[in-house]
Structure formats: structure tokens, C-alpha cells
Amino acid sequence: MAELEGRTAVITGGASGIGAETARLFVAEGARVVIADMQDERGEALARELGPRAFFSSCEVRSEEQVKAAVDLALDRWGRLDCMFNNAGFGGVLGPIDAIPADAFDLTFSVLVRGVFLGMKHAIPAMKAQGSGSIVNTGSIAGITAGRGPQVYSAAKAAVIHLSKVSAMELGEYSIRVNCVCPGYIATPLAANTVGRPDSLIEDQVDDFARRQPIPRAGRPRDIAEAVLYLASDRSSFVTGQAITVDGGAATGVPWSEQKPFYREFRPIRVYHPDRR
Ligand code: NAD
């Protein structure tokens, strides 16, 4: 049987990249989805592609009213909400801390952290009422290790990860699970969108991304969608409060090819004993 038969989901940032691929996978697995995004044309087009089990809701995640409207659309149509995937995001403000205008800091946190908070806030009442639910928030390896993303973005993603953990502690008693998926380097329009460049540049990233982690290929939206499917499905029914990295090993450490030659060359060693010189 399909993994998400009879389930419903709201996916923010659902018009592009990771969110769009997750919407496709969820529908293929039997779910009904609301695609919530500020890119109306793309969101409408994806909803048409996915057929009667997908609806688009025009949504800026900084707006409490619009986030609530996306959740209400799922509840009005289908009477329940099984998965809230708080995924909308962008790269945020770039540059050194002492050059960043305070309002650009606020905007970055507002999209990345307030947006997730609002998605959780408005999904929780329906999930409490039905006695189940899975909230999945998109973090990043930038929120786990320093230097893997812009400064404010990285701090915001760390906040998303911790918000997910504290919420998991609060909501477990209602059988609501909260987890984070933390992508590594995934070929999507994100970087281009953030600085207003065309999406056609995505494929230019692929060679560069293939060199950034032990697994020698760029990450793809489907890699993340598969993890979100696991977190949304009953297969993960005992998993909560986790930040699951899907990154080809990028955040784990230094790839073998970049480690010191001294570690990589085999040499016979002697057993050290202080009395035997
Ligand atoms: P993407 O640009 O393809 O998709 C992001 C979507 O979010 C877009 O459709 C965009 O319109 C939407 N969005 C942005 N700001 C919004 C707002 N204020 N309100 C509503 N919608 C908004 O990029 P993606 O890579 O699929 O990004 C999805 C998530 O994954 C983001 O949270 C991002 O930070 C995270 N992430 C991406 C990578 C990567 O390498 N691509 C790595 C780590 C984390």
C-alpha cells in the first residue's frame, strides 16, 4: 500500500526545489497536499500537474493570516492535517556581521524562523484534536556546523533545529512528532533565487556540489523528499526531536581525498612500550 494513503499535508515552499519534489512524492504515495508558496504561477502549475489531490495556496510565510489560510484550506477540503512540512526558505542576507543592516537580519529570521513557528502554531490545534501528526521543519547542515552557509542563515537554521527539539518535548504527549530534515548541498534554485538570478544556473552548481562531500554527486531534491516521506509516515512513529542530516556525509567531517597524506598512506607501526626502546 502507498505510504501516505488517506493522509494530508501542507508544504510551505512547495512550488520549487525540495518542497515541489516532496509534493510530487507525497501525492505519488497517496497523500493530498496543499502547496503553500509565494510563487503563485509555479505553485498553480504544480497543483495542475499533480491533479485533484493537490491545491495551491498563495502564502508568504511571514504572514500569520496566510499561513493559517493554507492550513485551513487543508482542513476545509479534507477535515484533517497529518503532516505540516515547514520548508519555505531562502539564503537570507549575505556578508560579514558588521556589514549587515538590522532590518535584513530581521527579514532573514522572519522568513526562516517566524515562518516555521507560524506553520507549527497553526497546524498544532488540528493535530491535537485528531491525536496525531508529524511536523517536519527544514533545517540545514549550516545550522549544525559553522561555515556551511551565510552567517544569519546559519544562525536561523540552528534556531529552527532547536525550536523543533523543544516542540517535540512539548507535543509528544499528544502523539505529535516534530523533526527536522537538514539538507546538505542540494541542486535547487535557492542560491539563484536569493540573489535574483535565473534558475537556469542550477545545473552549473552540480559539478561544484559533487565535490563537497564524500558521496561524489550533488544532492537532489528527491534525496530530501525521501527523508521527509519517512518522517511523515508511520515508519518513523517512534522518532521525534531529531535533526536528520541528508548530506552525502558533508557535515560529518573531511572527505578521505582531502585528509592529510600521512593518514592515508599505509605504514607498518611498532607497538609502543615505554620500557622497550
Ligand atoms: P527553492 O528556492 O527551490 O525553494 C524554496 C521555496 O520557498 C521557493 O518556492 C520560494 O518561493 C519559497 N519561499 C521563499 N521565501 C518564502 C516566503 N517568505 N514565503 C513563502 N514561500 C517562500 O530552494 P530549496 O533548496 O528547495 O529550499 C527549501 C528549503 O531547504 C529552504 O528552507 C532552504 O533553506 C533549505 N535548504 C536548502 C539547501 C540547498 O542546498 N538547496 C540546503 C540546506 C537547506
Side-chain angles (χ1 to χ4, degrees), residues 127-245:
M127 291 178 170
K128 276 186 177 171
Q130 71 201 23
S132 66
S134 170
I135 296 172
V136 184
N137 299 326
T138 304
S140 169
I141 58 169
I144 296 172
T145 58
R148 301 228 181 239
Q151 306 292 71
V152 182
Y153 175 89
S154 302
K157 289 299 190 180
V160 168
I161 292 167
H162 212 63
L163 182 60
S164 306
K165 291 184 181 185
V166 296
S167 306
M169 298 303 101
E170 178 188 328
L171 297 167
E173 67 181 273
Y174 303 98
S175 298
I176 301 171
R177 299 181 295 109
V178 189
N179 292 288
C180 244
V181 64
C182 294
Y185 300 103
I186 312 298
T188 72
L190 180 101
N193 279 347
T194 298
V195 293
R197 284 154 69 195
D199 282 12
S200 52
L201 294 172
I202 299 174
E203 290 308 313
D204 292 355
Q205 304 173 319
V206 168
D207 286 345
D208 174 37
F209 280 15
R211 288 190 292 271
R212 296 202 184 187
Q213 62 277 312
I215 301 290
R217 67 169 176 83
R220 295 287 186 176
R222 178 76 182 216
D223 295 310
I224 309 306
E226 293 284 358
V228 182
L229 171 61
Y230 167 73
L231 292 172
S233 78
D234 290 343
R235 286 179 189 248
S236 60
S237 61
F238 205 50
V239 178
T240 196
Q242 300 304 304
I244 295 181
T245 55

Side-chain angles (χ1 to χ4, degrees), residues 16 18 37 39 59-61 87 153 157 184 186 188-189 193:
S16 173
I18 291 166
D37 203 294
Q39 294 195 66
C59 175
E60 152 63 75
V61 293
N87 164 75
Y153 175 89
K157 289 299 190 180
I186 312 298
T188 72
N193 279 347

